[in-house]
Amino acid sequence: MTTTTPAPTGTPATGTPAPTGTPATGTPAPAGTPAPVAFTAESPWVRRAARPGRPRLRLLCFPYAGMGASLYRSWPGLLPEDVEVVAVQPPGREDRARDPLPAGGVGPLARACALALRPYTTVPYAVYGHCAGAVLGAETARELVRRGAEPPRLLIAAGHRAPHLPATGRPLHALPDEGFLDGVRALGGIPERLLANAAFMEFLLPLLRADFALWEGYRGDPDAAPLPFPVLPVRGDADTVVTEAEAAAWGERTTAPPRDVVHVPGGHYFVNDMTPEAVAAVVSALETARPLASTDPEEAS
């Protein structure tokens, strides 16, 4: 079952508290950027850090497998004041731990995300997705366009090979518990203190396994139409999971001219500890996507 939200206004809707979890650590906000803004749960699917008035650009953020919207909790304080952060909370994550994933794979999940996010595309928007979130962001944006939304001005695809390329690593989800957790530990996305908590991992293990099964079973359709928006691949310079060539191949799947891969300090999950260089790379990318002038008719009059 999916949940839609009313079109957002400048004032956040009341809702449940921002999701708990392990937030990404960030850097101090550069001079001139706003203080951090708390996320508000506007639906089961959406956590928004609303800005006063109408944002110049809205950034839809998709977390990697096993992580939820709290991954982006520090971002409103790191990005320019006229960029509004909307983070997606997929089922099976954080405060939605007991919500099942939609049956049928990535397609139904992307459609559910698109239904929840459609009201947030009434202003220019961009998409950031990390690892599996890059694929979900791409498929959700494709579905949004199919449903009549304007295309995103940019997809920032971080830490994932182009989706039409075959997976090269062994699937983890079918391994016994010990081997599965060893594989998750080696990837580095889940904090060690959580992996060492036996009681917590007993609860988390089936959720993680279902999430990994979803994404390890995903095969992009090489005959699918190209994405009708530009894609910027971003890769940690110490990433041992995604190669330079795999990241660059995103340019083969878009109607826009291919973009050079942007390298930032860190490994596969550099988003967990955003360095000043990584923040600057995201801000620079959004500068190229942000409209030069307001698209709000009331401001233009």
Side-chain angles (χ1 to χ4, degrees):
M1 182 176 70
T2 59
T3 304
T4 57
T5 62
T9 62
T11 304
T14 58
T16 58
T20 58
T22 304
T25 56
T27 57
T33 57
V37 180
F39 277 137
T40 297
E42 298 194 338
S43 83
W45 295 86
V46 174
R47 307 290 179 266
R48 183 166 71 114
R51 298 294 198 192
R54 187 179 179 91
R56 191 81 75 199
L57 186 74
R58 192 166 273 142
L59 182 61
L60 311 182
C61 296
F62 293 78
Y64 57 79
M67 183 56 82
S70 69
L71 179 64
Y72 299 105
R73 185 157 42 185
S74 67
W75 282 41
L78 302 175
L79 301 182
E81 190 170 9
D82 57 1
V83 175
E84 184 176 86
V85 177
V86 173
V88 174
Q89 184 77 311
R93 319 277 182 89
E94 297 179 340
D95 61 351
R96 299 193 67 192
R98 300 189 185 280
D99 293 352
L101 288 164
V106 174
L109 179 60
R111 288 191 288 274
C113 289
L115 282 170
L117 291 170
R118 180 65 177 90
Y120 297 85
T121 62
T122 56
V123 300
Y125 69 101
V127 176
Y128 179 97
H130 202 95
C131 195
V135 175
L136 182 56
E139 293 301 325
T140 298
R142 189 196 296 275
E143 184 66 24
L144 284 166
V145 173
R146 188 178 294 126
R147 292 175 179 272
E150 289 295 317
R153 300 180 71 91
L154 179 68
L155 164 65
I156 303 175
H160 202 283
R161 69 186 186 281
H164 64 287
L165 298 180
T168 55
R170 63 172 183 169
L172 299 179
H173 72 272
L175 294 176
D177 289 352
E178 185 176 352
F180 175 66
L181 289 177
D182 284 345
V184 171
R185 180 179 283 106
L187 289 174
I190 307 298
E192 184 61 36
R193 63 181 179 81
L194 296 183
L195 290 169
N197 185 327
F200 180 75
M201 289 310 300
E202 184 178 358
F203 168 76
L204 185 63
L205 186 62
L207 305 178
L208 272 178
R209 195 182 290 279
D211 223 351
F212 271 73
L214 173 70
W215 293 106
E216 290 178 339
Y218 173 77
R219 298 292 181 269
D221 181 1
D223 298 322
L227 298 169
F229 43 81
V231 180
L232 178 68
V234 180
R235 176 179 176 270
D237 55 16
D239 192 340
T240 59
V241 178
V242 179
T243 68
E244 168 91 11
E246 288 173 331
W250 278 94
E252 302 170 9
R253 301 303 302 157
T254 172
T255 57
R259 304 276 190 100
D260 291 337
V261 178
V262 172
H263 294 89
V264 299
H268 186 59
Y269 292 109
F270 67 83
V271 70
N272 286 339
D273 189 12
M274 290 289 284
T275 63
E277 294 87 351
V279 173
V282 173
V283 171
S284 177
L286 296 180
E287 286 293 332
T288 69
R290 186 167 49 178
L292 296 178
S294 173
T295 56
D296 189 342
E298 294 182 1
E299 293 185 18
S301 60

